[in-house]
Amino acid sequence: MTRFAADDGRMLAYDDRGRGTPLLCLAGLTRNMDDFEPVLDAFVGRARVIRLDTRGRGGSDRDPDFMNYNLIREGRDALNLMDHLGLDRVAILGTSRGGLIAMMLAASHKDRLSGVCLNDIGPLVEPRGMANIMSYLGLPPGYADYDDAAAQLALKMRDRFPGVGRDQWQAYARRLWDATPDGLALRYDPALRHAVMEQSATDALPDLWPLFDALAGLPLALIRGAHSDILSPETASEMQRRRPDMIFAEIPDRGHTPFLDEPAAVAAIATLLERVS
C-alpha cells in the first residue's frame, strides 16, 4: 500500500500491481481496497490492477469535513490518483458507490474512461437496501473478534448469501473491520453516516439515469447479485434494454454485493477487459 496527496492535501491509500490495461477498482460506501483481493488474484497477470481507498476509508485520511464524503469529491480523488500515476484513461470496476462514482465520471470526464464494470449498482437504488445500509452505517459492529463475526454473519446473511461458509465470512470480516482489545472496530470514518443523512435529508432519490446514459459508447459490464436488495431485476433489465451490448452476469446465491471471486463475475470482468484492450 502506498499513499499520495489529493489536491486538497488529504493523503489517500492505493495499491498498484500488474501490467497491461489499467483497471481502477473503487469500493463501496464503507469498504476499502481489500474487497478487490480476488480481482487482484485473478487479473494481476493480465491487467494493471489499481485499488484505491476512497477518503475516510481503509488507509486513507479521514476528512475533517464529512460533507466532503460525496460523489463529486470522491470522483476527483480518483482523477487525482490517475494524474499521480500518469494515466490518461482507465477502466473502472466500481462496487456499489464505486459504480456511482464511475457513472458520474462518465458524465463529467468521459475522456478519462476506457470502460466500466458496475458491481451490483445501477441508476436506481432500492429504498429497502438503503434502509438496510442505514441500520449499520457508522455504528460499532458489535463483534468480539473475527470468529464471532464469521459465526454471526453466517446466520444473518444466509438468506441473501446461502452456502457461504465461515471461512469466507471471516475473510469478509477481516477486510471490513479492525481487531482491537475491545472487539472489532470500523475501518472507515463513522461520520459517513452524517454525510449520507445530510445528503439524503429530503428523502428524494435523484434521477441517475442521465449518468447511466452517459456511459454510451464505452465498453460496459454489469454484475448483479441474484438476491440484491440494492439493484432490482427491473432496473437491471432496463439497463440491458438501454445498452443491449452490455456484458451481464447475474450471480446466484449472492446479495449486495457479489464477492467478485465467482466464476461468472470473473468472466464478466475478463470480457470487459478484452473489449477495452
Side-chain angles (χ1 to χ4, degrees):
M1 183 181 74
T2 312
R3 304 216 313 165
F4 79 103
D7 58 19
D8 66 349
R10 299 277 82 74
M11 298 300 295
L12 307 181
Y14 72 96
D15 182 77
D16 180 7
R17 300 189 214 182
R19 300 179 67 181
T21 301
L23 179 66
L24 175 59
C25 301
L26 302 178
L29 176 65
T30 65
R31 310 292 300 192
N32 58 73
M33 70 171 74
D34 289 351
D35 273 357
F36 298 103
E37 288 173 350
V39 177
L40 188 64
D41 292 341
F43 291 100
V44 72
R46 43 184 164 158
R48 182 176 175 183
V49 181
I50 304 161
R51 301 176 296 152
L52 173 65
D53 278 347
T54 307
R55 65 178 54 217
R57 289 80 155 180
S60 292
D61 284 354
R62 298 182 177 188
D63 198 306
D65 180 0
F66 65 74
M67 290 303 287
N68 283 329
Y69 298 135
N70 65 71
L71 295 179
I72 294 174
R73 176 65 257 185
E74 291 166 15
R76 194 184 310 161
D77 290 341
L79 294 172
N80 286 172
L81 176 57
M82 291 171 60
D83 293 341
H84 173 73
L85 297 175
L87 294 171
D88 291 330
R89 300 168 77 216
V90 299
I92 292 182
L93 169 56
T95 292
S96 196
R97 187 179 179 94
L100 296 178
I101 294 171
M103 286 190 279
M104 189 209 63
L105 288 175
S108 61
H109 294 81
K110 192 172 185 176
D111 61 316
R112 305 299 302 270
L113 305 183
S114 61
V116 170
C117 180
L118 303 171
N119 181 23
D120 210 62
I121 193 66
L124 289 179
V125 176
E126 292 300 302
R128 178 168 59 98
M130 198 64 217
N132 182 51
I133 289 171
M134 293 306 298
S135 73
Y136 64 77
L137 178 61
L139 306 178
Y143 302 123
D145 52 32
Y146 294 124
D147 288 334
D148 179 36
Q152 293 198 48
L153 286 169
L155 292 174
K156 291 179 180 178
M157 306 285 273
R158 60 187 174 187
D159 291 341
R160 281 172 286 162
F161 290 82
V164 175
R166 285 198 184 189
D167 287 349
Q168 196 158 7
W169 284 125
Q170 186 169 100
Y172 174 97
R174 288 180 181 277
R175 291 168 183 156
L176 184 53
W177 299 303
D178 284 328
T180 77
D182 299 318
L184 299 188
L186 302 178
R187 286 185 67 194
Y188 64 87
D189 188 347
L192 270 172
R193 182 177 186 86
H194 304 304
V196 171
M197 291 177 70
E198 288 282 342
Q199 292 161 20
S200 60
T202 64
D203 290 329
L205 294 176
D207 179 9
L208 300 182
W209 283 109
L211 299 188
F212 177 77
D213 292 337
L215 295 165
L218 291 174
L220 178 62
L222 174 64
I223 298 166
R224 178 181 182 269
H227 302 306
S228 176
D229 59 359
I230 287 288
L231 176 60
S232 72
E234 293 77 17
T235 299
S237 294
E238 176 61 13
M239 294 165 75
Q240 289 178 284
R241 189 192 70 79
R242 295 189 185 209
R243 284 294 304 268
D245 63 322
M246 182 176 71
I247 303 154
F248 179 63
E250 185 160 89
I251 313 300
D253 299 334
R254 293 292 182 267
H256 183 75
T257 60
F259 298 138
L260 300 179
D261 60 355
E262 303 88 359
V266 173
I269 298 167
T271 302
L272 178 83
L273 288 172
E274 288 169 7
R275 291 188 183 180
V276 167
S277 61

